[in-house]
Amino acid sequence: MPPTLLATRGDYEAFVDRYDTFLFDCDGVIWRGNIVIDNVPATLDMLRKRGKRLIFVTNNSATSRRDYVGKFAKLGMQAAVEEIFSSAYATAVYLRDVVGFASDKKAYVIGGSGIRNELEEVGIATVGQDDTAAISLATLGDVEPSADVGAVVFGIDYDISYRKLANAHVNLTQNPDCLFIATNDDRTLPGGKHVYPGTGALLSTLIHSTQRTPLVMGKPNTPMLDCVMQKFHLDPARSCMVGDRLDTDILFGIKGGVSTLCVLTGVADEASVLSPSAPQATYYMSSLGDLFELAQ
Amino acid sequence: MPPTLLATRGDYEAFVDRYDTFLFDCDGVIWRGNIVIDNVPATLDMLRKRGKRLIFVTNNSATSRRDYVGKFAKLGMQAAVEEIFSSAYATAVYLRDVVGFASDKKAYVIGGSGIRNELEEVGIATVGQDDTAAISLATLGDVEPSADVGAVVFGIDYDISYRKLANAHVNLTQNPDCLFIATNDDRTLPGGKHVYPGTGALLSTLIHSTQRTPLVMGKPNTPMLDCVMQKFHLDPARSCMVGDRLDTDILFGIKGGVSTLCVLTGVADEASVLSPSAPQATYYMSSLGDLFELAQ
């Protein structure tokens, strides 16, 4: 069935009534860069007043959930830490609750403080952050696997180094039980005027060298949504994922068995939403802010 | 035709007579790590005395040809700079002679001093070596393409940084004429007891982020051999590539249209040499050092 356009007050009422929980991608839906999209704050208030649960889902593993709350505040909106679900937090929850990560094991992290903080908050010790010292072919042989390492956790890392990659490689190839988990696999990363190599690009180093396939938590993969559904005991039939990208957000919702709403304030335009070869959203509308009409 | 075993003095005489030029892989053929393979120095002397041209072909881009001459000397053998053909040198020769690299352009190098030295010796200015300063999402936007950059040249780099990858990415995606050249694409790199991520693994970052395919100079790809053939005006019918790896050395010779000899002092064993599904060498023998018999 092609996506249904939401365009009238009646459409909005029926849509909002049909769901208890709304999952939101942020960039392109709530804000664009550092600019809030018109009427979105009032729309979020209206949804909260109607008793809806709001969950903000981000692939970004570089910042912690607390940092994300700070971003909402800076843009004049309120969000609670519990409403934020990042790929870094999903990784921590997955290791603790699904894997039952052994308390005597450590995670070798290639990634920033966001992911280290989330892992340590759930009681998982991390190593690797100091592996930035110079290395050469002569000293390479000193890089040894460690039986303590139970997982390599990979996220965006602006301090990536050959020493880190070498450490992760030997642990992934020599420690038979070492897990390989990536927060997300976005190919590129928007940063100012250009895009730059994303987590998925950096990650391809280890996929290629180890010939192992990581478990990828973030959109469009399902583990992050599985964690969300489990944590909040959500009913898929009463949940809707709202996003601006068909190949990540909407596909993520479809794979997770929830309804989907594609907004046109980010990457996707109407033609791509209606293309039969694209992931088919349940609904689309010009902007999430249009729902603000219901508050008036 | 299956590979022909060379095992008798008569076989050796006929083999040596048939070629004017021998191209050698080094590790596994001339030496193993830091140990010379028995009778190989005397074999090389014998070939030189018979007026053969010897060329040592290496994928290693981290060391310059002069460093390689030093390694031969340390192991008690002589080799001239002109006899060494590394993937770094091949890259320099390719840019100068085949591309006709513009004198007002620079090469953005991800790689070590070996490749920088080779490029600068043929008159190509290099940039990028200092791009190791810390970077963050907030400062990422400062990384801009530069119209001066005419090529991204990628080799093994123990000082790889996100800033370097970001620079290379924006030049490869924003400068329409920017070439993308890799010295080699070895998946892993032997270093002491373990193997570690090789040039090909690091390179996959940019292949994935830019969706561009680099020209790869080194074995088993043909550009390096094209450079060798052109530089020395070799007759393929009178040239033989000697190596220990079927999927790099022998395939490299086959693709380049020269004869091939696989020795069993490195990676390949007799069963793999004779496997019909492997690249088919022209000849095989237990060790290059066996040819020493001709000197006695």
Side-chain angles (χ1 to χ4, degrees):
Chain A
M1 207 165 61
T4 303
L5 174 66
L6 304 180
T8 69
R9 188 173 179 122
D11 295 339
Y12 303 158
E13 284 286 4
F15 168 73
V16 169
D17 280 350
R18 192 167 160 188
Y19 301 101
D20 300 325
T21 301
F22 295 91
L23 303 134
F24 297 100
D25 173 49
C26 297
D27 203 28
V29 176
I30 311 287
W31 57 65
R32 264 194 304 260
N34 284 317
I35 299 166
V36 178
I37 291 169
D38 281 353
N39 295 327
V40 165
T43 296
L44 298 180
D45 286 345
M46 177 274 295
L47 291 170
R48 283 202 174 97
K49 276 186 198 143
R50 293 187 177 211
K52 307 297 181 183
R53 188 200 297 272
L54 311 187
I55 302 171
F56 303 95
V57 180
T58 171
N59 267 6
N60 187 337
S61 71
T63 49
S64 69
R65 287 177 301 151
R66 285 182 211 292
D67 296 333
Y68 240 71
V69 168
K71 170 146 191 180
F72 273 86
K74 210 169 70 179
L75 295 178
M77 289 176 287
Q78 283 197 326
V81 168
E82 292 67 35
E83 291 177 323
I84 316 279
F85 220 92
S86 71
S87 62
Y89 177 62
T91 302
V93 169
Y94 176 84
L95 281 174
R96 183 191 60 189
D97 297 347
V98 181
V99 170
F101 199 70
S103 59
D104 60 341
K105 294 280 186 182
K106 293 172 177 153
Y108 191 93
V109 175
I110 296 183
S113 60
I115 183 150
R116 289 180 200 287
N117 292 346
E118 297 293 2
L119 288 169
E120 284 167 8
E121 279 201 20
V122 304
I124 296 173
T126 67
V127 288
Q129 57 265 54
D130 301 325
D131 284 338
T132 52
I135 199 166
S136 69
L137 188 57
T139 56
L140 202 49
D142 301 342
V143 176
E144 292 273 9
S146 162
D148 288 349
V149 172
V152 166
V153 175
F154 201 107
I156 190 75
D157 191 338
Y158 302 116
D159 295 317
I160 197 160
S161 67
Y162 189 87
R163 188 180 283 276
K164 287 184 185 177
L165 292 168
N167 258 293
H169 175 91
V170 292
N171 278 297
L172 288 170
T173 53
Q174 310 283 317
N175 281 348
D177 299 326
C178 184
L179 301 173
F180 186 14
I181 300 184
T183 57
N184 64 304
D185 60 0
D186 296 44
R187 184 169 68 79
T188 57
L189 174 79
K193 273 180 293 181
H194 308 294
V195 301
Y196 299 95
T199 307
L202 302 182
L203 179 64
S204 62
T205 304
L206 290 177
I207 294 174
H208 192 59
S209 72
T210 67
Q211 307 273 287
R212 287 187 59 170
T213 304
L215 176 76
V216 182
M217 299 298 297
K219 296 176 285 180
N221 306 285
T222 54
M224 182 157 65
L225 192 53
D226 293 344
C227 285
V228 173
M229 301 304 274
Q230 191 178 336
K231 181 178 171 185
F232 297 103
H233 308 290
L234 300 184
D235 174 2
R238 301 280 304 166
S239 304
C240 184
M241 172 74 205
V242 184
D244 69 311
R245 295 178 66 133
L246 298 163
D247 56 353
T248 51
D249 304 321
I250 301 307
L251 185 57
F252 176 73
I254 293 170
K255 283 184 176 181
V258 300
S259 296
T260 54
L261 166 64
C262 190
V263 295
L264 307 182
T265 43
V267 171
D269 58 15
E270 186 168 25
S272 57
V273 170
L274 296 176
S275 161
S277 61
Q280 297 290 291
T282 320
Y283 308 100
Y284 73 104
M285 67 191 300
S286 59
S287 167
L288 178 64
D290 295 350
L291 294 179
F292 168 65
E293 194 176 332
L294 299 183
Q296 293 176 307
Chain B
M1 209 164 61
T4 303
L5 174 65
L6 305 179
T8 68
R9 187 173 180 122
D11 295 338
Y12 304 158
E13 283 287 3
F15 169 72
V16 169
D17 281 350
R18 192 166 158 187
Y19 302 100
D20 300 325
T21 301
F22 295 93
L23 303 134
F24 297 100
D25 173 50
C26 296
D27 204 27
V29 176
I30 311 288
W31 57 64
R32 266 195 303 258
N34 283 315
I35 298 165
V36 178
I37 291 169
D38 282 352
N39 295 327
V40 165
T43 296
L44 298 180
D45 286 346
M46 177 275 295
L47 291 170
R48 284 202 173 94
K49 275 187 196 141
R50 292 184 179 215
K52 307 297 181 184
R53 187 199 297 272
L54 310 187
I55 303 171
F56 303 95
V57 180
T58 171
N59 266 7
N60 187 337
S61 71
T63 48
S64 68
R65 288 177 300 152
R66 285 182 210 290
D67 296 333
Y68 240 72
V69 168
K71 171 145 190 180
F72 273 86
K74 210 169 70 178
L75 295 178
M77 290 177 287
Q78 284 196 325
V81 168
E82 292 68 35
E83 291 177 322
I84 315 280
F85 219 91
S86 72
S87 62
Y89 177 62
T91 302
V93 169
Y94 176 84
L95 282 174
R96 183 191 61 189
D97 297 346
V98 180
V99 169
F101 199 69
S103 60
D104 61 340
K105 294 279 186 181
K106 292 171 177 154
Y108 190 94
V109 176
I110 296 184
S113 59
I115 183 149
R116 289 180 200 284
N117 292 346
E118 297 292 4
L119 289 168
E120 285 168 7
E121 279 202 18
V122 304
I124 296 173
T126 67
V127 288
Q129 56 266 53
D130 300 324
D131 285 339
T132 53
I135 199 166
S136 70
L137 188 57
T139 56
L140 202 49
D142 301 342
V143 177
E144 291 273 8
S146 163
D148 289 349
V149 171
V152 166
V153 174
F154 200 107
I156 190 76
D157 190 339
Y158 302 116
D159 295 316
I160 197 161
S161 67
Y162 189 86
R163 187 180 284 275
K164 287 185 185 178
L165 292 168
N167 259 292
H169 176 91
V170 290
N171 278 296
L172 287 170
T173 53
Q174 310 284 317
N175 281 347
D177 300 325
C178 185
L179 301 173
F180 187 15
I181 300 183
T183 57
N184 63 303
D185 60 0
D186 297 42
R187 184 169 68 80
T188 57
L189 174 80
K193 272 180 293 181
H194 308 294
V195 301
Y196 299 94
T199 307
L202 301 182
L203 178 64
S204 62
T205 304
L206 290 177
I207 294 175
H208 191 58
S209 71
T210 66
Q211 307 273 286
R212 288 187 57 170
T213 304
L215 176 76
V216 182
M217 299 299 296
K219 298 177 283 182
N221 306 285
T222 53
M224 181 157 67
L225 192 54
D226 294 343
C227 284
V228 173
M229 302 304 275
Q230 189 178 339
K231 181 178 171 185
F232 297 104
H233 308 290
L234 300 183
D235 175 0
R238 302 280 303 167
S239 303
C240 185
M241 173 74 206
V242 183
D244 70 310
R245 294 178 67 132
L246 297 164
D247 55 353
T248 52
D249 304 321
I250 301 307
L251 185 57
F252 176 73
I254 293 169
K255 283 183 175 182
V258 302
S259 296
T260 54
L261 166 64
C262 189
V263 295
L264 306 181
T265 43
V267 171
D269 58 16
E270 187 168 25
S272 57
V273 169
L274 295 176
S275 161
S277 62
Q280 298 289 291
T282 320
Y283 308 101
Y284 74 103
M285 67 192 299
S286 61
S287 167
L288 178 63
D290 295 348
L291 294 180
F292 167 66
E293 194 177 333
L294 298 183
Q296 292 176 308

